[in-house]
């Protein structure tokens, strides 16, 4: 039995690795096929935490494809399993992703309840990765609700957590979002400051797409300031 279990675990890991490679190249159909194989080999081994990881990967692909109902179903299933086996990491990630699906469906109140639960769990477990993302995503919800003070506070807290894990990409997004808050308030000089910060990070991590986006926002802010 141990030999059989080890063999199935190894095969599952191979298919999971192949799926991850396909995800990096946005080959979604191939990714889902490999994940299905990975789940097939692991499901009878009793390794529920690994099965949770595979299911989370599937659900994230559904999010990428904007298949929100399918994503919500899988995340909800994993949430139940992760709570049953005490997998706090998977539980926190499920809460965050379920909040994303709720936000996409314009159920902002539900999204905030889920983000609050995720934040409390991430704080308790010291999960800075999830903490940073939950604060960032909460900021987006507050922006949709036009509650800019609350959004600003969330983005700053996200930056604080992201700095501790050296997540420059997330800090970039937070600075850009803070710039957008100042732009909404008509404070273009402050917006320009944060857009320039986001550009600096984009250039540092060599993200051409984000650098171009930041450059466009800087041009818009400078154009407005030159007219007043």
């Amino acid at each position: 039995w141990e030999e059989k279990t080890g063999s199935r675990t190894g095969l599952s890991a191979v298919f999971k690795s192949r799926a991850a490679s396909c995800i990096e190249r946005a080959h979604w159909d191939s990714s889902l096929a490999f994940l299905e194989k990975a789940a097939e080999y692991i499901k009878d081994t009793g390794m529920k935490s690994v099965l949770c990881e595979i299911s989370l990967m599937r659900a994230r692909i559904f999010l990428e494809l904007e298949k929100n109902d399918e994503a919500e179903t899988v995340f909800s299933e994993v949430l139940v399993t992760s709570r049953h086996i005490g997998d706090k990491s998977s539980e926190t990630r499920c809460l965050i992703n379920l909040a994303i699906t709720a936000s996409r469906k314009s159920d902002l109140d539900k999204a905030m309840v889920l983000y609050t639960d995720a934040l409390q769990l991430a704080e308790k477990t010291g999960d800075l990765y999830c903490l940073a993302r939950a604060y960032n995503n909460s900021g987006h919800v507050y922006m949709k609700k036009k509650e800019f003070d609350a959004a600003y506070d969330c983005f700053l807290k996200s930056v604080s957590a992201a700095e501790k894990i050296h997540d420059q990409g997330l800090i970039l997004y937070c600075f850009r979002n803070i710039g957008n808050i100042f732009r909404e308030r008509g404070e273009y000089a402050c917006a320009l400051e944060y857009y320039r910060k986001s550009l600096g990070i984009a250039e540092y991590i060599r993200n051409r797409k984000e650098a171009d986006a930041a450059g466009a926002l800087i041009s818009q802010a400078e154009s407005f300031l030159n007219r007043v």
Side-chain angles (χ1 to χ4, degrees):
W1 168 253
E2 289 181 0
E3 182 179 351
K4 182 179 179 181
T5 298
S7 176
R8 295 180 71 84
T9 301
L11 286 169
S12 178
V14 169
F15 283 116
K16 183 183 173 186
S17 177
R18 291 177 180 176
S21 296
C22 289
I23 289 172
E24 290 179 359
R25 300 191 298 272
H27 294 169
W28 308 124
D29 290 341
S30 297
S31 300
L32 289 170
F34 283 131
L35 288 172
E36 184 177 347
K37 281 289 186 181
E40 180 182 332
Y41 279 108
I42 203 72
K43 65 181 180 181
D44 295 327
T45 65
M47 301 181 69
K48 292 184 178 180
S49 61
V50 177
L51 194 57
C52 280
E53 293 174 9
I54 293 169
S55 296
L56 282 172
M57 291 172 72
R58 287 180 57 236
R60 290 192 193 102
I61 291 172
F62 290 140
L63 277 184
E64 288 290 339
L65 296 173
E66 297 190 0
K67 294 183 177 180
N68 298 316
D69 289 337
E70 289 93 331
E72 184 176 24
T73 297
V74 178
F75 282 129
S76 296
E77 292 171 351
V78 178
L79 180 62
V80 173
T81 302
S82 61
R83 284 174 169 168
H84 179 70
I85 64 176
D87 187 342
K88 299 299 184 183
S89 178
S90 291
E91 181 181 352
T92 310
R93 282 159 174 74
C94 284
L95 289 168
I96 292 173
N97 284 291
L98 284 169
I100 291 173
T101 61
S103 181
R104 287 184 177 183
K105 294 179 178 182
S106 299
D107 192 344
L108 302 184
D109 290 337
K110 180 180 179 180
M112 286 311 306
V113 169
L114 290 163
Y115 281 135
T116 298
D117 288 346
L119 285 167
Q120 291 175 347
L121 190 55
E123 286 273 14
K124 184 177 180 180
T125 60
D127 190 336
L128 292 173
Y129 176 88
C130 284
L131 192 68
R133 273 150 185 77
Y135 272 127
N136 175 67
N137 293 0
S138 296
H140 281 289
V141 174
Y142 280 125
M143 287 191 73
K144 287 183 178 180
K145 298 173 74 172
K146 304 297 183 182
E147 297 179 20
F148 297 121
D149 287 344
Y152 178 77
D153 184 56
C154 283
F155 289 133
L156 286 183
K157 288 179 178 178
S158 180
V159 169
S160 178
E163 285 178 338
K164 293 174 183 176
I165 55 176
H166 310 291
D167 192 334
Q168 295 297 315
L170 185 56
I171 295 171
L172 182 161
Y173 295 136
C174 288
F175 282 160
R176 186 172 65 194
N177 287 321
I178 292 172
N180 290 339
I181 290 173
F182 283 118
R183 184 184 63 190
E184 288 286 339
R185 291 171 168 173
E187 300 176 45
Y188 283 88
C190 291
L192 185 59
E193 176 187 350
Y194 278 94
Y195 289 151
R196 284 173 173 162
K197 286 183 178 182
S198 68
L199 175 61
I201 295 175
E203 291 178 339
Y204 175 73
I205 63 177
R206 298 181 180 179
N207 188 324
R208 187 71 263 162
K209 180 180 178 181
E210 294 301 332
D212 290 343
L217 290 169
I218 289 171
S219 296
Q220 293 171 14
E222 288 177 336
S223 177
F224 182 87
L225 286 171
N226 289 332
R227 293 199 305 266
V228 297

